[in-house]
Amino acid sequence: MGNDHDHANPVTPTDGDGRRPARILVTGAAGFIGSHLCDHLLSRGDRVWGLDSFDSFYPPEIKRQNIAPALRHPSMRLVEGDLRDGVLLDGLLSDIAFDAVVHLAARPGVRPSIDDPNLCFDVNVTGTLSLLEAMRRRGPRRLLFGSSSSVYGERKDAPFVEDTAGDRPISPYAASKRTGEMLCYTFHHLYDLSVLSLRFFTVFGPRQRPDLAIHKFARLMANGEPLPLYGDGSSARDYTYVDDIVNGITRGLEWVERESRDAPVYDVVNLGRSDPVTLSDLVARLARALEIEPAVHHLPEQPGDVSLTCASDAKARDLIGYAPEVGLDEGLRRFASWFWERTPRPEKVAAGG
Ligand code: NAD
């Protein structure tokens, strides 16, 4: 980092498709979604800088494996550091004339945020503010913010549409994401930043965070352990395959680039599938994909967990041309094949049986 001085030469030649390769900063680049995004941006010819602190929320070695393929690409740079370090951000944003920032770094997870709300707010709110402040001082003027379906809180009026108030989050994590969105709007209003907030709905696929249900359940099934199912199994989630999320982020980058040419823009869109699946159904379909018979262990509902998420994807389709393609069963098949490449199959379970 620090010696490219790309401000001196902000215009690069167009690639084969006539599109000028962009310079993108991805925060949280070594994480689940961030690493897939880096791979995709590099594959379409962009130059990518990743910022990641390799925090201890889950083992940093997993994050190093996530980002390893991107790091083999000559157009990838990794900056190891903390989002809350304003001096680091000022240096990075001064040295490189980024076209846009995709902000994915966060302390994720509903339950961990209940255990440690201060840490959640420190990273998700103070960290986001630190990035916004650095962008105000140094540029660039275009930001995509990784928000969450959890901002909708406990609702029955599915599908969730973006213009609902979102003022009753039921966990510190949800409150931190809603606060992040609001800070983005404030900086749009005060300093002409163009921002698109993307509300991701339960993302899954290869490299999924080990704390999330599909990955956690797969691990337990492979170990022959029962799955802890919170509630009666009727809670439902709108599961979204990671490639579709990456496609939505890419469309969002194109939208913000196009629409902010004359005046700054701000908007919020859901990235989901509008197809919620109950927890019981998810377990059955995951078991089929993994070819394992699961044992389940019912536990009381967890505070902070909403009973339903369901995106309206109409606005994302209309505004940015988002078009999710991978259904739950196909996504689970792809996840299962990734999972079995790195996990020994249990002896008693015959493949295919
Ligand atoms: P992840 O934990 O795999 O990735 C986040 C990355 O941010 C990690 O690599 C971590 O090391 C890094 N990070 C954490 N604190 C940092 C800091 N202070 N400075 C720099 N880097 C830091 O999570 P993910 O599942 O890939 O989620 C990415 C984003 O999408 C997060 O903002 C998350 O809240 C949001 N989101 C995810 C989901 C989902 O289902 N995975 C759903 C809704 C929203």
Side-chain angles (χ1 to χ4, degrees):
M1 171 211 143
N3 53 6
D4 278 46
H5 292 292
D6 282 3
H7 275 296
N9 180 25
V11 180
T12 46
T14 56
D15 66 9
D17 301 333
R19 191 182 66 84
R20 182 175 72 81
R23 292 186 182 88
I24 310 288
L25 173 62
V26 178
T27 75
F32 163 43
I33 300 172
S35 62
H36 281 283
L37 176 65
C38 292
D39 292 344
H40 180 72
L41 294 175
L42 292 164
S43 75
R44 67 173 207 164
D46 290 335
R47 294 180 64 190
V48 181
W49 281 255
L51 172 69
D52 206 296
S53 64
F54 294 86
D55 87 338
S56 59
F57 180 69
Y58 61 89
E61 308 81 70
I62 297 179
K63 299 173 186 183
R64 300 218 176 263
Q65 287 165 20
N66 291 342
I67 197 70
L71 286 175
R72 287 195 282 274
H73 199 289
S75 295
M76 180 76 203
R77 298 280 180 280
L78 177 66
V79 180
E80 291 196 35
D82 199 296
L83 186 63
R84 293 161 291 179
D85 181 344
V87 175
L88 172 83
L89 286 180
D90 274 353
L92 181 59
L93 297 184
S94 303
D95 283 345
I96 317 291
F98 291 110
D99 293 286
V101 178
V102 183
H103 176 32
L104 301 174
R107 193 81 185 177
V110 163
R111 289 167 210 163
S113 81
I114 295 173
D115 294 339
D116 195 344
N118 282 307
L119 178 58
C120 168
F121 263 64
D122 197 31
V123 176
N124 298 0
V125 178
T126 307
T128 298
L129 188 54
S130 155
L131 175 65
L132 289 165
E133 275 284 87
M135 289 179 69
R136 170 181 71 76
R137 289 190 293 264
R138 313 283 177 183
R141 283 283 186 266
R142 299 186 186 114
L143 174 68
L144 265 67
F145 174 61
S147 186
S148 160
S149 59
S150 64
V151 303
Y152 288 105
E154 181 60 41
R155 311 188 69 89
K156 303 282 180 223
D157 54 344
F160 303 166
V161 290
E162 290 84 345
D163 60 4
T164 43
D167 57 356
R168 296 190 178 183
I170 65 165
S171 67
Y173 171 71
S176 76
K177 285 288 168 182
R178 186 73 183 107
T179 309
E181 289 184 352
M182 291 193 285
L183 282 170
C184 287
Y185 181 79
T186 306
F187 275 67
H188 159 72
H189 174 79
L190 289 175
Y191 307 117
D192 287 350
L193 256 58
S194 287
V195 185
L196 183 64
S197 283
L198 302 166
R199 293 177 176 165
F200 305 147
F201 282 66
T202 316
V203 190
F204 76 105
R207 303 182 191 157
Q208 192 194 36
R209 278 188 357 238
D211 60 300
L212 288 173
I214 291 173
H215 197 171
K216 188 168 91 179
F217 290 171
R219 218 169 41 243
L220 290 168
M221 283 192 231
N223 289 337
E225 293 173 46
L227 315 183
L229 285 203
Y230 297 101
D232 62 4
S234 66
S235 64
R237 291 284 177 276
D238 195 3
Y239 294 97
T240 316
Y241 191 67
V242 66
D243 288 3
D244 287 330
I245 293 289
V246 165
N247 177 269
I249 297 173
T250 311
R251 300 284 179 135
L253 281 168
E254 289 160 4
W255 176 84
V256 84
E257 207 273 321
R258 194 170 61 239
E259 299 297 323
S260 64
R261 282 185 195 142
D262 297 329
V265 288
Y266 175 87
D267 225 316
V268 180
V269 294
N270 294 333
L271 295 185
R273 273 187 59 79
S274 230
D275 183 20
V277 170
T278 66
L279 187 56
S280 305
D281 195 15
L282 172 77
V283 169
R285 290 160 79 166
L286 174 63
R288 209 159 48 231
L290 291 167
E291 299 166 346
I292 289 196
E293 197 59 48
V296 301
H297 173 42
H298 284 280
L299 293 167
E301 268 170 31
Q302 291 271 97
D305 273 343
V306 297
S307 55
L308 169 70
T309 66
C310 176
S312 162
D313 59 6
K315 184 174 175 188
R317 285 178 186 276
D318 288 352
L319 194 75
I320 64 171
Y322 168 68
E325 287 177 354
V326 183
L328 181 63
D329 290 322
E330 172 58 23
L332 290 175
R333 265 193 296 280
R334 295 185 197 180
F335 170 81
S337 101
W338 170 84
F339 180 78
W340 286 131
E341 276 168 22
R342 43 202 39 78
T343 312
R345 281 188 187 259
E347 277 171 22
K348 279 192 218 146
V349 181

